[in-house]
């Protein structure tokens, strides 16, 4: 019989007599495919099926056909409760015949992943497209006959009579040919991205490189493109070594793996966010160190008053000994620093230094102004770039919402490797699936009016509590800061107060603010506990919103206190240098925040764990509250950004703080916490955090700094901007000087005047941006419509497919019935 | 490091680096780990295939419910027994690495979830997938009604051509809209 039918054996062995005989019946594809893969490892070709369908006489499917004539024969119910144990025709519940199954199983949409031939063809077409894009006009010679469009671009040919082996070889050759003609970068990308095994890729690469050595005879490639080829290879090699070097530098790789293995990707994202912040601070520190601290340190200014002694309080209060050092604004000189060779000249050293050499001068005020401005600008660009990249990844154009499918397909976190965590995750998955299912079903139910009113009242009450708490916080900070201000005024007039006491009293305001920051989120979560939300994500967003509201209002009041009260009348509290004072305040706030976080982590979480285990008798440790911890990080970073202007070494403090915090948090999480129970959409939350870092946090800090530079008068006796009307004047003065020295640069000065001082230009720029954004949103709308149309189109095609297959099946069965009838008539006689 | 790295010279290392998404460090680490699984007498053979049972003992896979499917999918052995040689092992790590493209990950994810190996995700495949997600314990598995409802909803959401199964393109379509997939489909040695 036909060699194609190795599946004969089970049929004949079973001796199919009755339809209830299960063994020979094909109700699933796996049997079929296993057998057919055994015979032709290179996938299915259309002509094989053609032959199969043509062999009508020797078609054993006919035997089966009788079994399928009787609908609902119980062949479907082998699985018990499931009604779709096998592939059935959804219209009349008849299972497909074997021939139909064969055709269905060889459909391109089902074989694409398994059949190497199909993958090669697909990639052949991809490389062809790339080639065409690279070349302006390809000669007809390059087009092989198989590049005509077919279903899904497979390039399947029905008119060759070669066996499967040579067909595969040809495809490979064509693919290799295409690969050779691509550029090196694209070739590598294509090879890497092909979903075939490494052994296969090695073979392709070998073939590609083999033919690469001798230059093609008909090529017009000049010799310098070979040089370019080698340069590219060398550059790529060095890029890889650089990446490997960076990779080996990753200090926390092992820790990240442990945390991810135990807690999953959600908790890991907090630590990755911490690492990102650390990198921002390292960048800021390097810039300020190189351009501000180092030059000033090399040219120390004279100290105004007598020597102060070191007392331990400096580390927390930032005042005392630290006041007149490079740490604060007040130390920086307002003149051009020059290397004075009189002091440093060494008799034995031969130097050619000119005593009044212009080249070695360093304009400090200008450097200060531009360093701060540039670092903010670069940070802004980096933030906006990462925010938009993150947003682009999580934003989807089409509105259709497939939460369940997405959840089922992408919720298994492969990173988790610890057994107990895996079990917990499975439990969580079950709960979450149930919740989402209930959510989906519940959308169809309508709520009773009374229930809705009650829920509204509860929500209103919770919001009232939260807003009341926030307002109470803000008012208390406002009045307390006013009280401290007056207290300072009083003590500054007296001369017999102990300086240490004075410094210690300055710590009161930061301590209060940190305490409020610690306690109020717990109040918010208590209020949220009594509310019930439809979906867990709404709950997370509401909690995030409330915490954000608290932190933004507290920061706003503090900024008013510093810039509105202290900076406006510095003589009230006997301050020579208000910028140094504000810098010290920010230092104090950072340190206090750090101390309170440490105490909370070390003691609070430990105590809460003991409490919940022993008193509340819960079987699980408390969950790590990712949102709250990330907001704390963002708050601290905002303080650091506001403070860079007043204290250039503040990023260094922040770096040390973040490093310590990292290790403390890791230890605490390992000891006290658990995989979070609530579903946590990692990439959405990461997008939100980066957005929060950019918008309220960085924007607020830069508005604060810009306001300070633009409108507030700097102190007249200290700092690089003394004597100017505003800090901004430094830049303007420089431009005016340039203009004076070089009349040709007056154009620059005029441009500068127009751009920066004339608001009209800003309005026009903003208007153009808005128009561009509007155009893009219209494009997105149009794409959405196209996606809807395409989905309808695919549904129609699916309906066509079903129609054709059922017609095929009917045709096949009607053909079987005629000879069987003849045969039974023969046997009957 | 010298003894093991001698079998993996720089030429091969850069070849592997070009063909997979792994960095040199990761390939060397993979080689070290793979070498541990090879018994002493076979260490000289280049293309030795480690049995599936030994691969399943790796701590990264031990408690993963998809471990057998992973071995079967990445194995290129003729006997279809799930054994992996070093190339297959690198293939597996590359697909699960940080820099692998969404296309590669979704392609392999589809085949891992295709328990019946028929090229699409039918109802049985989806049922087994959900069972793997929710674990084997009784109290964490869904009831039959819930399962049916769930599978109906999944098919309604993702089966665009309405043939009752989710094929590769439909799967990739769903995955492309799910931003969490790339971050959760990762294994680090």
């Amino acid at each position: 019989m036909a060699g194609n039918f190795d599946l004969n054996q089970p049929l004949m062995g079973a001796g199919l007599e009755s339809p209830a005989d299960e063994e020979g019946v094909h109700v699933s594809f796996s049997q079929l495919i296993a057998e057919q893969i055994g015979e032709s490892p290179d996938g299915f070709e259309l002509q094989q099926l053609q032959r199969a369908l043509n062999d009508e006489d020797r078609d054993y499917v006919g035997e089966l056909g009788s079994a399928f004539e009787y609908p609902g024969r119980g062949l479907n119910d082998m699985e018990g409760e499931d009604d779709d144990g096998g592939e059935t025709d959804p219209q009349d519940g008849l299972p497909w015949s074997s021939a139909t199954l064969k055709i269905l199983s060889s459909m391109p949409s089902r074989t694409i992943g398994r059949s190497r031939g199909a993958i090669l063809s697909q990639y052949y077409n991809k490389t062809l497209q790339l080639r065409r894009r690279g070349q302006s006009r390809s000669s007809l010679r390059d087009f092989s006959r198989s590049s005509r469009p077919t279903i899904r671009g497979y390039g399947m040919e029905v008119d060759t009579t070669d066996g499967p082996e040579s067909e595969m070889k040809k495809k490979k050759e064509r693919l290799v040919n295409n690969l050779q003609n691509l550029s090196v970068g694209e070739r590598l990308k294509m090879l890497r991205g092909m979903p075939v095994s490494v052994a296969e890729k090695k073979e392709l690469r070998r073939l590609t490189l083999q033919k690469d050595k001798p230059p093609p005879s008909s090529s017009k490639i000049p010799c310098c493109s070979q040089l370019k080829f080698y340069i590219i290879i060398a550059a790529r090699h060095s890029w890889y070594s650089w990446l490997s070097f960076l990779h080996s530098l990753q200090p926390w790789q092992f820790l990240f793996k442990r945390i991810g293995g135990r807690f999953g990707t959600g908790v890991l994202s907090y630590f990755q966010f911490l690492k990102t912040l650390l990198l921002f601070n390292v960048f800021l520190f390097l810039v300020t160190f190189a351009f501000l601290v180092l030059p000033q340190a090399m040219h120390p200014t004279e100290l105004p008053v007598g020597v102060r002694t070191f007392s331990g309080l400096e580390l927390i209060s930032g005042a005392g000994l630290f006041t007149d050092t490079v740490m604060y604004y007040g130390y920086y000189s307002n003149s051009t620093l020059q290397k004075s060779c009189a002091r440093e000249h060494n008799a034995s050293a031969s130097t050619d230094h000119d005593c009044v050499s212009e080249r070695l001068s360093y304009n400090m005020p200008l450097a200060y102004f531009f360093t701060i401005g540039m670092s903010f600008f670069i940070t802004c660009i980096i933030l906006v770039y990462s925010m938009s990249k993150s947003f682009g990844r999580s934003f989807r154009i089409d509105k259709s919402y497939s939460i369940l499918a997405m959840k089922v397909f992408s919720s298994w976190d492969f990173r988790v490797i610890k057994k107990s965590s895996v079990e917990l995750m499975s439990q969580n998955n079950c709960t979450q699936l149930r919740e989402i299912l209930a959510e989906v079903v519940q959308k169809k139910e309508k709520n009773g009016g009374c229930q809705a009113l009650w829920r509204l009242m509860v929500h209103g009450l919770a919001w009232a509590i939260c807003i009341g708490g926030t307002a109470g916080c803000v008012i208390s900070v406002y009045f307390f800061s006013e009280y401290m201000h007056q207290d300072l005024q009083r003590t500054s007039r007296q001369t017999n107060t102990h300086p240490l006491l004075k410094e210690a009293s300055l710590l009161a305001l930061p301590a209060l603010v940190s305490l409020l920051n610690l306690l109020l989120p717990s109040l918010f979560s208590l209020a949220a506990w009594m509310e019930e939300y439809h979906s867990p994500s709404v709950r997370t967003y509401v909690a995030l919103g409330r915490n954000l509201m608290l932190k933004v209002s507290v920061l706003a009041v503090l900024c008013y206190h510093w810039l509105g009260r202290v900076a406006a009348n510095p003589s009230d509290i006997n301050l020579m240098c208000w910028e140094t004072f504000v810098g010290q305040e920010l230092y104090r706030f950072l340190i206090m925040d750090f101390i309170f976080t440490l105490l909370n982590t070390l003691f609070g979480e430990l105590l809460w764990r003991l409490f919940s285990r022993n008193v509340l008798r819960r079987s699980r440790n408390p969950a790590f509250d990712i949102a709250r911890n990330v907001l704390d990080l963002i708050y601290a970073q905002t303080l650091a950004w506001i403070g860079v202007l007043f204290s250039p070494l503040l990023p260094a403090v922040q770096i040390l703080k973040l490093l310590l915090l990292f290790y403390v948090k890791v230890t605490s999480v390992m000891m006290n916490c658990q995989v979070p129970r609530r579903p946590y959409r990692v990439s959405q939350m990461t997008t939100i955090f980066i957005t929060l870092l950019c918008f309220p946090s960085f924007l607020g800090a830069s508005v604060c700094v810009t306001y300070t530079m633009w409108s507030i008068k700097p102190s007249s006796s200290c700092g690089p901007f003394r004597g100017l009307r505003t800090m901004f004047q430094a830049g303007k003065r420089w431009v005016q000087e340039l203009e004076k020295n070089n009349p040709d640069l007056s154009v620059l000065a005029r441009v500068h005047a127009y751009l920066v001082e004339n608001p009209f230009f800003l309005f026009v720029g903003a208007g153009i941006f808005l128009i561009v954004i509007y155009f893009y949103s219209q494009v997105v709308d149009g794409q959405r419509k196209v996606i809807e149309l395409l989905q309808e189109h695919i549904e129609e095609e699916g309906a066509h497919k079903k129609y054709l297959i059922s017609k095929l099946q009917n045709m096949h069965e009607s053909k079987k019935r005629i000879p069987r009838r003849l045969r039974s008539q023969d046997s009957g006689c | 490091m010298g003894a093991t790295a001698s079998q993996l010279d720089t030429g091969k290392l850069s070849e592997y680096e070009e063909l997979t998404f792994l960095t040199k460090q990761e390939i060397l680490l993979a080689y070290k780990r793979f070498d541990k699984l090879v018994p002493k007498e076979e260490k000289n053979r280049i293309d030795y295939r480690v049995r599936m049972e030994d691969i399943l003992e790796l701590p990264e896979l031990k408690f993963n419910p998809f471990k057998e499917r992973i071995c079967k999918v990445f194995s290129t052995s003729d006997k279809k027994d799930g054994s992996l040689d070093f190339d297959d092992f690198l293939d597996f790590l590359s697909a699960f690495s940080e820099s692998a493209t969404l296309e590669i990950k979704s392609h392999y994810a589809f085949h891992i979830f295709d328990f019946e190996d028929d090229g699409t995700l039918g109802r049985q495949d989806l049922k087994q997938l959900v069972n793997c997600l929710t674990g084997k314990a009784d109290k964490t598995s869904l009831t039959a009604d819930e399962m049916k409802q769930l599978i109906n909803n999944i098919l309604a959401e993702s089966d665009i051509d309405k043939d009752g199964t989710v094929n590769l393109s439909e799967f990739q379509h769903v995955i492309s809209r799910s931003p969490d997939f790339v971050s959760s489909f990762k294994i680090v040695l």
Side-chain angles (χ1 to χ4, degrees):
Chain A
M1 305 304 164
N4 296 326
F5 293 104
D6 288 344
L7 47 87
N8 297 344
Q9 268 83 4
L11 291 180
M12 292 181 63
L16 204 61
E17 299 297 344
S18 84
D21 204 334
E22 298 174 350
E23 279 159 282
V25 171
H26 283 266
V27 288
S28 74
F29 285 128
S30 48
Q31 255 178 310
L32 245 185
I33 283 156
E35 285 148 2
Q36 285 182 326
I37 277 185
E39 65 172 25
S40 62
D42 294 335
F44 308 110
E45 305 291 346
L46 208 53
Q47 57 266 35
Q48 269 189 339
L49 295 167
Q50 198 73 32
R51 262 178 262 147
L53 289 173
N54 284 338
D55 292 335
E56 306 270 297
D57 307 334
R58 291 164 288 178
D59 192 355
Y60 283 85
V61 175
E63 308 289 316
L64 287 176
S66 59
F68 292 80
E69 272 179 49
Y70 308 98
R73 255 312 217 170
L75 293 164
N76 290 345
D77 298 35
M78 268 176 277
E79 301 297 328
E81 93 287 308
D82 225 20
D83 52 352
D84 268 341
E87 305 292 331
T88 59
D89 180 359
Q91 278 150 359
D92 27 318
L94 280 177
W96 300 119
S97 66
S98 202
T100 322
L101 283 183
K102 259 200 295 270
I103 298 180
L104 275 178
S105 67
S106 68
M107 275 199 315
S109 62
R110 297 194 187 195
T111 60
I112 170 62
R114 256 193 351 267
S115 140
R116 266 165 51 228
I119 295 180
L120 288 182
S121 307
Q122 190 187 25
Y123 273 83
Y124 166 72
N125 282 305
K126 273 195 192 171
T127 50
L128 198 62
Q129 277 175 17
L130 271 179
R131 255 184 81 189
R132 285 204 199 128
R133 231 185 288 156
Q135 302 167 346
S136 51
R137 194 179 161 77
S138 44
S139 63
L140 278 173
R141 233 184 321 149
D142 290 334
F143 285 162
S144 51
R145 269 175 299 150
S146 69
S147 55
R148 57 173 185 259
T150 56
I151 306 169
R152 302 195 58 200
Y154 278 10
M156 281 176 108
E157 300 183 349
V158 274
D159 47 354
T160 59
T161 47
D162 297 336
E165 278 301 327
S166 50
E167 183 66 37
M168 179 68 117
K169 239 195 203 167
K170 263 204 210 155
K171 280 190 190 153
K172 227 187 211 176
E173 265 179 41
R174 282 184 232 131
L175 181 60
V176 167
N177 191 25
N178 269 352
L179 279 175
Q180 279 164 8
N181 289 312
L182 288 178
S183 68
V184 176
E186 283 180 341
R187 184 192 309 170
L188 280 177
K189 215 168 95 173
M190 191 61 49
L191 266 182
R192 268 202 185 145
M194 278 177 67
V196 287
S197 66
V198 169
E200 188 75 39
K201 284 192 223 185
K202 274 206 250 189
E203 181 67 26
L204 280 172
R205 183 175 176 270
R206 191 181 59 82
L207 287 172
T208 314
L209 288 180
Q210 216 177 45
K211 298 195 186 169
D212 224 6
K213 298 277 174 50
S217 49
S218 61
S219 73
K220 314 169 238 18
I221 304 171
C223 65
C224 50
S225 94
Q226 274 220 346
L227 187 66
K228 199 171 78 173
F229 176 78
Y230 287 128
I231 291 179
I232 290 179
I233 290 286
R236 187 167 300 277
H237 198 72
S238 51
W239 176 244
Y240 284 153
S241 355
W242 171 244
L243 278 184
S244 304
F245 174 65
L246 273 185
H247 197 78
S248 64
L249 271 190
Q250 302 264 357
W252 294 325
Q253 192 80 352
F254 183 62
L255 263 178
F256 277 179
K257 184 183 167 185
R258 266 185 74 198
I259 298 174
R262 205 167 133 186
F263 296 103
T265 319
V267 173
L268 190 64
S269 67
Y270 166 77
F271 291 99
Q272 283 170 337
F273 189 72
L274 210 156
K275 199 169 101 164
T276 318
L277 281 182
L278 194 69
L279 291 175
F280 272 121
N281 282 306
V282 164
F283 160 71
L284 215 57
F285 170 66
L286 286 174
V287 167
T288 54
F289 187 75
F291 292 109
L292 293 181
V293 177
L294 210 54
Q296 188 63 56
M298 293 199 309
H299 299 264
T301 53
E302 296 145 15
L303 295 170
V305 209
V307 188
R308 301 181 207 221
T309 52
F310 179 77
S311 64
L313 202 57
E314 261 97 28
L315 289 174
I316 303 182
S317 73
L321 190 63
F322 285 167
T323 313
D324 292 315
T325 56
V326 266
M327 192 151 163
Y328 294 113
Y329 171 100
Y331 187 74
Y332 291 83
S333 88
N334 73 330
S335 54
T336 309
L337 304 171
Q338 270 168 354
K339 221 174 168 77
S340 55
C341 31
R343 254 188 288 158
E344 289 159 280
H345 187 73
N346 202 348
S348 54
S350 54
T351 55
D352 294 326
H353 285 165
D354 224 352
C355 270
V356 281
S357 153
E358 284 286 334
R359 277 167 286 150
L360 292 179
S361 71
Y362 193 77
N363 192 344
M364 199 64 206
L366 197 64
Y368 204 98
F369 178 72
F370 274 125
T371 310
I372 302 287
M374 270 295 122
S375 52
F376 267 75
F377 185 64
I378 295 178
T379 312
C380 180
I381 290 183
I382 298 175
L383 268 178
V384 168
Y385 174 70
S386 51
M387 185 180 84
S388 55
K389 220 169 63 159
S390 189
F391 186 68
R393 264 195 296 235
S394 57
F395 177 75
R396 294 299 143 197
I397 296 181
D398 48 341
K399 287 209 175 103
S400 60
Y401 203 44
S402 55
I403 27 169
L404 266 180
M406 280 196 321
K407 179 102 189 98
V408 165
F409 290 147
S410 53
S411 69
W412 185 263
D413 198 348
F414 281 80
R415 235 197 262 260
V416 177
I417 53 183
K418 200 159 180 280
K419 179 169 182 183
S420 50
S421 302
V422 166
E423 281 170 19
L424 271 171
M425 238 176 51
S426 314
Q427 241 178 318
N428 287 348
N429 281 337
C430 185
T431 328
Q432 286 160 24
L433 281 175
R434 281 207 180 111
E435 276 176 8
I436 299 181
L437 209 57
E439 207 182 296
V440 166
V441 166
Q442 200 184 38
K443 272 193 193 138
K444 305 167 192 157
E445 298 172 9
K446 281 221 166 84
N447 297 321
C450 214
Q451 272 253 332
L453 197 64
W454 170 249
R455 255 216 305 278
L456 208 62
M457 269 177 52
V458 171
H459 279 309
L461 183 64
W463 271 104
I465 294 178
C466 294
I467 295 182
T470 311
C473 236
V474 166
I475 292 174
S476 59
V477 170
Y478 180 78
F479 281 118
F480 191 75
S481 61
E482 182 152 341
Y483 168 73
M484 291 304 298
H485 192 72
Q486 284 166 356
D487 193 50
L488 262 181
Q489 280 177 321
R490 206 170 25 90
T491 51
S492 64
R493 277 184 231 123
Q494 300 168 355
T495 46
N496 54 353
T497 45
H498 198 238
L500 276 186
L501 203 63
K502 192 170 162 198
E503 271 177 41
S505 68
L506 288 171
L507 290 174
L509 184 61
L512 174 72
V513 171
S514 303
L515 194 67
L516 288 173
N517 268 332
L518 207 64
L519 293 178
L520 247 76
S522 313
L523 176 70
F524 292 162
S525 45
L526 257 175
W529 175 65
M530 66 181 190
E531 298 173 293
E532 43 171 273
Y533 288 100
H534 279 301
S535 75
S537 47
V538 173
R539 180 195 290 267
T540 318
Y541 293 148
V542 166
L544 211 62
R546 287 174 181 162
N547 278 316
L548 192 67
M549 188 176 62
L550 169 71
K551 294 205 152 65
V552 166
S553 14
V554 164
L555 273 175
V557 169
L558 286 173
C559 279
Y560 166 73
H561 169 67
W562 290 322
L563 298 180
R565 270 199 214 121
V566 172
N569 300 319
S571 49
D572 281 354
I573 36 179
N574 214 12
L575 272 184
M576 287 290 107
C577 204
W578 64 265
E579 291 98 345
T580 306
F581 180 74
V582 173
Q584 286 168 353
E585 282 272 280
L586 280 160
Y587 176 86
R588 283 190 280 266
F589 269 83
L590 268 180
I591 297 288
M592 270 291 139
D593 184 61
F594 177 56
I595 291 176
F596 271 79
T597 314
L598 268 184
L599 289 174
N600 182 34
T601 311
L602 290 176
F603 297 119
E605 284 182 9
L606 183 71
L607 287 174
W608 179 245
R609 172 172 72 100
L610 292 173
F611 181 71
S612 80
R613 281 289 203 135
N614 300 331
V615 175
L616 296 178
R617 300 265 171 216
R618 281 200 211 146
S619 60
R620 297 160 59 142
N621 284 343
F624 183 72
D625 195 344
I626 304 171
R628 186 173 153 177
N629 280 295
V630 171
L631 272 183
D632 284 338
L633 283 178
I634 294 180
Y635 169 76
Q637 188 61 37
T638 317
L639 287 175
W641 272 330
I642 295 177
V644 167
L645 175 65
F646 305 108
S647 165
L649 275 183
L650 210 59
V653 173
Q654 178 77 341
I655 289 174
L656 287 170
K657 190 185 131 172
L658 283 175
L659 279 173
L660 270 172
L661 192 67
F662 180 81
Y663 288 108
V664 167
K665 280 283 176 193
V666 165
T667 325
S668 155
V669 156
M670 291 290 192
M671 271 187 0
N672 296 334
C673 293
Q674 201 76 333
V675 177
R677 274 201 65 223
R678 298 251 146 75
Y680 188 77
R681 293 206 192 129
V682 176
S683 74
Q684 211 171 33
M685 295 307 271
T686 316
T687 314
I688 290 180
F689 292 142
I690 291 271
T691 313
L692 285 178
L693 191 66
C694 187
F695 275 133
S697 164
F698 182 74
L699 194 69
S702 43
V703 161
C704 207
V705 166
T706 315
Y707 176 73
T708 312
M709 281 192 160
W710 208 288
S711 326
I712 300 189
K713 185 168 169 8
S715 8
S716 48
S717 56
C718 65
F721 300 114
R722 57 193 105 160
L724 299 173
R725 203 163 39 89
T726 63
M727 295 187 195
F728 192 64
Q729 295 271 338
K732 249 174 121 176
R733 238 201 215 174
W734 176 65
V735 172
Q736 283 168 353
E737 267 178 34
L738 266 187
E739 197 182 354
K740 234 191 311 172
N741 293 339
N742 262 343
D744 304 329
L745 291 179
S746 64
V747 176
L748 183 69
R750 256 183 288 145
V751 165
H752 174 258
Y754 272 129
L755 278 185
V756 180
E757 298 181 15
N758 200 345
F760 177 66
F761 177 75
L762 283 173
F763 280 131
V764 167
I768 293 180
F769 267 128
L770 286 174
I771 291 177
V772 168
I773 291 174
Y774 175 72
F775 276 140
Y776 271 113
S777 76
Q778 288 298 307
V779 166
V780 163
D781 264 342
Q783 282 177 346
R784 226 177 247 150
K785 289 203 185 91
V786 169
I787 289 177
E788 278 172 23
L789 284 175
L790 283 175
Q791 274 180 334
E792 280 173 23
H793 192 72
I794 295 177
E795 267 186 58
E796 276 177 27
E797 294 293 319
H800 288 163
K801 184 174 82 180
K802 270 197 291 230
Y803 173 76
L804 285 174
I805 287 178
S806 44
K807 273 280 181 237
L808 203 68
Q809 160 135 340
N810 290 340
M811 232 174 53
H812 198 81
E813 285 179 13
S814 58
K815 276 198 189 147
K816 284 308 111 201
R817 255 177 249 145
I818 301 171
R820 244 195 74 245
R821 239 177 270 140
L822 292 175
R823 244 182 280 144
S824 63
Q825 279 173 2
D826 286 339
S827 61
C829 292
Chain B
M1 192 68 170
T4 50
S6 61
Q7 290 197 2
L8 195 64
D9 55 17
T10 40
K12 271 200 181 158
L13 197 59
S14 44
E15 186 187 10
Y16 282 135
E17 202 175 359
E18 278 182 21
L19 295 177
T20 63
F21 289 102
L22 302 169
T23 62
K24 276 209 173 79
Q25 247 75 20
E26 290 169 340
I27 298 175
L28 287 170
L29 184 59
Y31 188 76
K32 263 206 310 208
R33 297 288 296 272
F34 191 76
D35 207 39
K36 284 200 197 120
L37 297 171
V38 175
K40 275 209 173 59
E41 55 271 11
E42 309 277 3
K43 278 213 197 287
N44 295 323
R45 280 180 52 189
I46 304 174
D47 56 350
Y48 177 71
R49 288 190 165 275
V50 175
R51 298 176 311 152
M52 187 161 90
E53 295 81 18
D54 297 328
I55 298 277
L56 295 184
E57 286 299 312
L58 279 175
E60 286 82 8
L61 285 180
K62 201 163 172 185
F63 301 112
N64 195 321
F66 299 104
K67 54 189 177 192
E68 287 99 2
R69 281 302 303 160
I70 289 176
C71 286
K72 293 249 170 64
V73 164
F74 286 101
S75 161
T76 52
S77 88
D78 305 317
K79 290 182 287 210
K80 304 271 172 255
D81 57 0
S83 57
L84 302 179
D85 65 1
F86 185 59
D87 285 350
D88 299 334
F89 191 63
L90 279 187
D91 213 5
F92 152 64
L93 287 175
S94 165
F96 278 92
S97 72
E98 288 274 342
S99 27
T101 58
L102 181 66
E103 202 185 299
I104 287 265
K105 283 191 195 263
S106 57
H107 181 269
Y108 282 114
F110 180 76
H111 287 289
I112 291 174
F113 294 156
D114 188 9
F115 288 88
E116 299 191 333
D117 238 347
D118 57 358
T120 64
L121 301 181
R123 296 189 82 102
Q124 273 305 311
D125 292 321
L126 290 174
K127 193 167 158 193
Q128 266 184 286
L129 174 60
V130 173
N131 279 332
C132 280
L133 284 182
T134 56
K136 298 197 174 60
D138 275 330
K139 62 177 174 163
T140 62
S141 51
L142 300 176
T143 63
D145 272 339
E146 285 173 336
M147 182 69 79
K148 205 165 164 190
Q149 174 93 38
L150 181 63
I151 294 184
N152 284 339
N153 275 341
I154 293 175
L155 283 176
E157 285 170 1
S158 39
D159 187 13
I160 305 180
D161 60 0
K162 306 277 177 261
D163 65 348
T165 64
V166 180
N167 64 19
L168 180 62
S169 342
E170 290 159 353
F171 180 79
Q172 280 177 329
H173 184 68
V174 171
I175 288 295
S176 72
R177 288 183 279 146
S178 159
D180 288 329
F181 175 72
V182 174
S183 52
S184 61
F185 202 73
K186 279 189 188 149
I187 291 182
V188 177
L189 263 194

